[in-house]
Amino acid sequence: MSKRVMNEYCKGTYKMGDTFIIKVDHCQNGSWQGELVWANEQKSVRFRSTLEMLQLMDEAIKSGSNMSSMETAHTSS
């Protein structure tokens, strides 16, 4: 899919500029387990599979800052 077609497909559906930090703790059964941090909103959530991580990212981008399933990120000093 070309960049132009992709931009048209996502137009109005996704906002651009979201940043996610993926912390992989384990790789088991061919999938990742770890923590997903949504840097723009300072929220984080644990995920049990790569598919679940991608679904969480998709949900976060589509819903904006009203993501209730993500917890507040823990910051360490």
Side-chain angles (χ1 to χ4, degrees):
M1 186 179 288
S2 73
K3 186 176 181 179
R4 184 178 59 81
V5 171
M6 188 66 157
N7 285 341
E8 190 62 34
Y9 176 76
C10 293
K11 190 176 184 177
T13 306
Y14 295 100
K15 61 181 180 167
M16 300 305 234
D18 285 312
T19 302
F20 294 93
I21 300 166
I22 302 165
K23 299 177 182 178
V24 178
D25 296 333
H26 304 285
C27 183
Q28 190 174 29
N29 298 327
S31 193
W32 296 341
Q33 295 87 43
E35 181 180 18
L36 175 66
V37 178
W38 187 12
N40 300 58
E41 300 294 327
Q42 296 182 343
K43 296 181 179 182
S44 68
V45 67
R46 307 275 316 156
F47 61 89
R48 297 166 291 195
S49 70
T50 309
L51 179 60
E52 183 180 32
M53 177 196 70
L54 291 171
Q55 289 171 334
L56 288 165
M57 291 171 70
D58 185 58
E59 183 182 334
I61 293 169
K62 284 182 178 177
S63 68
S65 61
N66 296 328
M67 179 132 181
S68 59
S69 66
M70 291 190 101
E71 304 165 356
T72 304
H74 301 287
T75 56
S76 55
S77 304

